[in-house]
Amino acid sequence: GARHIDGALAANNPSAIAIHEASRLFPGVPLHCVVSLATGTSPPRATQGAGVGLPGIVKALIDSAIGPAPIANCLEDLLPSGVYHRFSPQGSAFDVAIDQTEKAKLDALTGSTLDYVALERHRFAA
């Protein structure tokens, strides 16, 4: 059968890929605005035994390799000021499985996202 790989392994923050594609499609045209919309992150939490032994070390390495922050940091440093805009809400509501369907948890996600938009409204108005 077909083998599928989670896209996060290749591009958890695909902004750099989009910029590369834009430069190939429109050579010599400067970027004016790149918007990166994250799906939200939950605060770190301690897990008993986490990081212990080979499985814990492998998980920590994978998490650090596929995280979106390194791409966001590079783009903020390399692109002209005011071009790259990353919106990344955070909170415990975002500690859900990718296939979450429970209404209460989806409502919490919606509420946390709306709170984030209200808090960052100055960035959305620009």
Side-chain angles (χ1 to χ4, degrees):
R3 182 173 295 186
H4 301 279
I5 297 174
D6 187 336
L9 293 175
N12 201 339
N13 177 350
S15 300
I17 294 170
I19 291 168
H20 176 258
E21 289 181 5
S23 72
R24 299 298 300 248
L25 291 170
F26 308 102
V29 177
L31 291 171
H32 297 284
C33 183
V34 176
V35 177
S36 177
L37 302 174
T39 57
T41 56
S42 59
R45 58 188 151 108
T47 305
Q48 188 171 358
V52 176
L54 186 59
I57 293 169
V58 169
K59 181 181 182 333
L61 288 171
I62 290 171
D63 289 347
S64 66
I66 66 170
I71 296 296
N73 294 341
C74 286
L75 294 177
E76 287 171 359
D77 290 344
L78 296 173
L79 292 175
S81 179
V83 170
Y84 182 71
H85 306 276
R86 174 96 171 143
F87 295 96
S88 182
Q90 298 178 1
S92 59
F94 298 99
D95 188 15
V96 295
I98 197 161
D99 59 350
Q100 180 59 252
T101 60
E102 188 179 321
K103 183 173 177 7
K105 291 190 178 189
L106 296 176
D107 288 345
L109 282 170
T110 301
S112 291
T113 301
L114 292 173
D115 290 346
Y116 175 81
V117 170
L119 182 68
E120 298 289 330
R121 69 181 164 272
H122 64 281
R123 294 180 61 204
F124 287 95

